[in-house]
């Protein structure tokens, strides 16, 4: 692919403000509720998780989980496979799944079911971006950053064939760029 700079869809400033709002909401909701474990879904959530978790005003621990994704393409198969499970014991704890982006919803639905089998006290979800029009399964996002249309986005953790993850904004790669 070329090195053309993706077009800005959600600016760095808008992301910063929205992440601060979500952190405030999560801090309020989980205040006094007991152990909170934030589980980041690799790889795409690593920047969102880092920024969100550092702004919380409540105690929290961090775990990561990895699932199979679309590879280097951009078409969802609907099939989700666990590649790396959480290391710590989450039984009896409040789990907050932190996803980069929800497209069809298959990944998040799978993760909620899988993590519930570890018998946590609760399971909630946070996602920076959702493609509302692409939903194939009904899944609740408790803390959502932004709704976007059905286009492939990169930056702020998100890639296209491993490129663009460290862009500070969320951008769109034009077809002619690839
Ligand atoms: P779902 O299971 O909801 O269809 O897909 C979720 C996963 O697909 C995300 O965690 C992400 O890995 C990938 N994905 C879906 N849309 C995009 C996109 O626009 N950009 C990037 N980088 N990944 C996406």
């Amino acid at each position: 692919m070329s090195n053309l700079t993706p077009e800005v869809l959600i600016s760095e400033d808008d992301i910063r403000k929205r992440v601060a709002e979500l952190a405030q909401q999560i801090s309020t909701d989980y205040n006094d509720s007991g152990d909170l474990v934030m589980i980041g879904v690799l790889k795409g959530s690593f920047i969102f998780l880092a920024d969100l978790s550092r702004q919380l005003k409540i105690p929290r621990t961090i775990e990561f989980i990895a699932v199979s994704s679309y590879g280097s393409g951009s078409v969802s198969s609907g099939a989700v496979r666990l590649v790396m499970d959480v290391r710590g014991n989450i039984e009896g704890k409040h789990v907050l799944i932190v996803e980069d982006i929800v497209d069809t919803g298959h990944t998040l639905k799978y993760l909620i079911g899988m993590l519930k089998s570890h018998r946590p006290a609760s399971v909630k979800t946070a996602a920076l971006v959702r493609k509302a029009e692409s939903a194939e399964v009904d899944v609740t996002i408790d803390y959502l950053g932004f709704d976007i249309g059905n286009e492939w986005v990169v930056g702020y953790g998100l890639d296209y064939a491993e490129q663009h993850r460290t862009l500070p904004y969320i951008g769109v790669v034009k077809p002619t760029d690839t």
Side-chain angles (χ1 to χ4, degrees):
M1 72 189 294
S2 83
N3 290 321
L4 286 182
T5 308
E7 217 170 77
V8 178
L9 183 68
I10 307 171
S11 72
E12 190 175 351
D13 202 36
D14 285 348
I15 294 173
R16 192 181 313 113
K17 285 182 192 146
R18 189 72 189 116
V19 171
E21 287 170 2
L22 293 176
Q24 182 61 53
Q25 187 65 51
I26 293 167
S27 298
T28 303
D29 292 354
Y30 285 93
N31 195 25
D32 292 332
S33 70
D35 291 340
L36 171 64
V37 188
M38 302 176 81
I39 303 182
V41 186
L42 292 173
K43 298 178 189 174
S45 74
F46 78 111
I47 293 179
F48 179 39
L49 177 69
D51 285 351
L52 187 65
S53 60
R54 286 181 296 173
Q55 294 195 47
L56 295 188
K57 299 180 180 72
I58 50 172
R60 65 282 182 187
T61 56
I62 307 294
E63 290 281 344
F64 285 101
I65 203 163
V67 289
S68 61
S69 66
Y70 302 164
S72 58
S74 58
V75 180
S76 174
S77 65
V80 183
R81 189 171 57 89
L82 185 67
V83 174
M84 187 188 89
D85 205 345
V86 287
R87 291 195 186 176
N89 182 8
I90 60 168
E91 187 173 343
K93 297 179 181 169
H94 294 283
V95 164
L96 179 60
I97 303 172
V98 180
E99 255 282 35
D100 47 2
I101 186 164
V102 177
D103 185 3
T104 61
H106 286 292
T107 304
L108 199 52
K109 192 179 168 100
Y110 167 82
L111 286 173
I112 292 168
M114 200 279 290
L115 289 167
K116 276 186 175 167
S117 71
H118 290 271
R119 299 166 34 125
S122 68
V123 178
K124 284 171 101 178
T125 56
L128 185 68
V129 181
R130 172 177 62 184
K131 295 184 187 176
E133 297 157 20
S134 311
E136 286 178 10
V137 290
D138 194 21
V139 67
T140 303
I141 303 174
D142 299 287
Y143 305 99
L144 174 65
F146 304 92
D147 264 321
I148 61 166
N150 192 8
E151 51 198 341
W152 194 262
V153 290
V154 296
Y156 201 71
L158 292 157
D159 75 313
Y160 181 89
E162 293 304 325
Q163 302 298 305
H164 303 305
R165 280 198 201 278
T166 54
L167 278 180
Y169 59 89
I170 290 181
V172 182
V173 184
K174 294 279 148 203
T176 49
D177 296 354
T178 57

